[in-house]
Every structure is written in C-alpha cells, then in structure tokens.
Amino acid sequence: MNLSAESGPPPGESGWTDFEEFAAHCGPRLLRTAWMLTGDRHHAEELLRTALARSWPKWRHIRDDRPETYVRGVLVRVHLRRWRRRRRGEVPYARTPRAALPGDRYREADPDDALRRALRRLPPRQRAVIALRYLEGLGVEETASLLNCSAGTVKRRTAKALRALSGALTGAGPPRG
C-alpha cells in the first residue's frame, strides 16, 4: 500500500493519526461486514485492507462526513466487483470441501454452521443486502444508497434472500419462482 503525501496526509500528521484511530475503532465492525459478504475470514481481511487503502486518498474529504458509511460502501463495491470478475473465469478452490463425518450429528445440527452455509449459498447481492440490513442495522434507503440501487430492489432482494435462508434452514430448500 503506497501512502504518499499526495494521496493523503503523510504519516505523522493529524490526518494519519485520525485514520489510524478510525481503523482501530471501526475496523471490527467493518471486518464483520466483510466476513458476511465473503464468508471467509482471510478474504474478509483482504477486502477490508483494500477498502481502507482505497479510502485513504479521500480521507481529508470524508473524515468529517460519516467515514464509516463511506468505507462500508467501498467495501461492498469492491466485493461485488471482485465477484463479477471471478464469475467470468475459473474459480479455484483453496481446499477440498469438508463433509460431515458419518454419524456426526452435532455438526449437522449446529444452527450457526447451518446459517453460515445458507448465507454462503446466497448470491452476492442478496448476501450484501442481508449483511447491511440485519447485521449492520441499516435501513432500506441507506442500504439502497450503498448498493447503488433503488429501495424497491433492496426490498425485493431482502425478501428473496430471507425466503432462501428460511427454506435452507428448515430443510425445504429455496422456494421455486
């Protein structure tokens, strides 16, 4: 990450300190959002680093005007852009999928694990809506603004995602139609 004087306040000035304090204070919440978007701790950390690096050059302009909202928007946009690019080519797997051992009823019954699996199966835009609306507690309009779509689109994606999650968690699978 190249943080030159022309891209933001140089290290040692008040802007740098403000940015470090912001990252330390809001980082855990932003990391949680990134994890909900990616479903993977390592990818979430990389996504957050990228969002912070892209926000740094604008820090002088955004630090007094809801910087967490700005960085969260960068986080979502970077994630969706990466997802679109990845769809065009092969998707390498970092590891072999783990199946529950035969007779491992605890793993099969773990509601948190079932929720994580169900969230990972959602399309990225639906996962982003669920993360922003229910994890971050944002309203429909604020979510729409971050995702650059209409409020109706946010409501529609929320409804579809909740139906899919409900079906996956009750064992009925996602509804058709």
Side-chain angles (χ1 to χ4, degrees):
M1 175 165 52
N2 182 10
L3 301 177
S4 65
E6 63 188 81
S7 67
E13 286 190 9
S14 66
W16 179 256
T17 305
D18 291 348
F19 189 75
E20 284 180 321
E21 289 172 5
F22 165 78
H25 179 72
C26 298
R29 284 192 302 272
L30 292 167
L31 182 60
R32 186 178 62 211
T33 301
W35 181 84
M36 284 291 293
L37 293 171
T38 63
D40 179 83
R41 173 85 178 179
H42 300 293
H43 289 137
E45 289 171 352
E46 179 185 344
L47 180 61
L48 178 57
R49 279 192 299 271
T50 301
L52 288 171
R54 289 191 181 183
S55 300
W56 170 248
K58 309 269 189 224
W59 184 247
R60 288 181 182 172
H61 306 290
I62 65 171
R63 70 177 170 197
D64 297 326
D65 186 34
R66 299 175 26 168
E68 188 173 355
T69 302
Y70 181 88
V71 175
R72 186 176 291 114
V74 172
L75 198 73
V76 170
R77 286 188 296 278
V78 167
H79 169 69
L80 293 175
R81 194 171 300 121
R82 283 182 181 173
W83 178 79
R84 276 188 221 114
R85 281 189 192 136
R86 226 179 325 163
R87 280 184 57 198
R88 293 185 191 132
E90 289 184 27
V91 179
Y93 289 96
R95 57 194 130 126
T96 307
R98 291 183 302 180
L101 296 174
D104 186 1
R105 294 182 187 176
Y106 293 108
R107 172 152 181 162
E108 294 168 5
D110 180 7
D112 289 338
D113 190 48
L115 179 59
R116 279 191 283 276
R117 285 194 315 264
L119 283 168
R120 282 188 201 122
R121 285 194 297 260
L122 289 177
R125 291 180 185 272
Q126 288 181 16
R127 192 177 326 140
V129 167
I130 294 296
L132 295 172
R133 296 271 331 271
Y134 295 100
L135 178 68
E136 296 298 328
L138 302 181
V140 172
E141 295 296 328
E142 200 169 8
T143 302
S145 174
L146 280 172
L147 295 175
N148 197 26
C149 63
S150 70
T153 300
V154 169
K155 291 176 184 178
R156 193 169 39 257
R157 287 180 184 159
T158 301
K160 282 183 175 181
L162 290 176
R163 275 196 312 269
L165 287 173
S166 175
L169 295 173
T170 60
R176 304 278 181 207

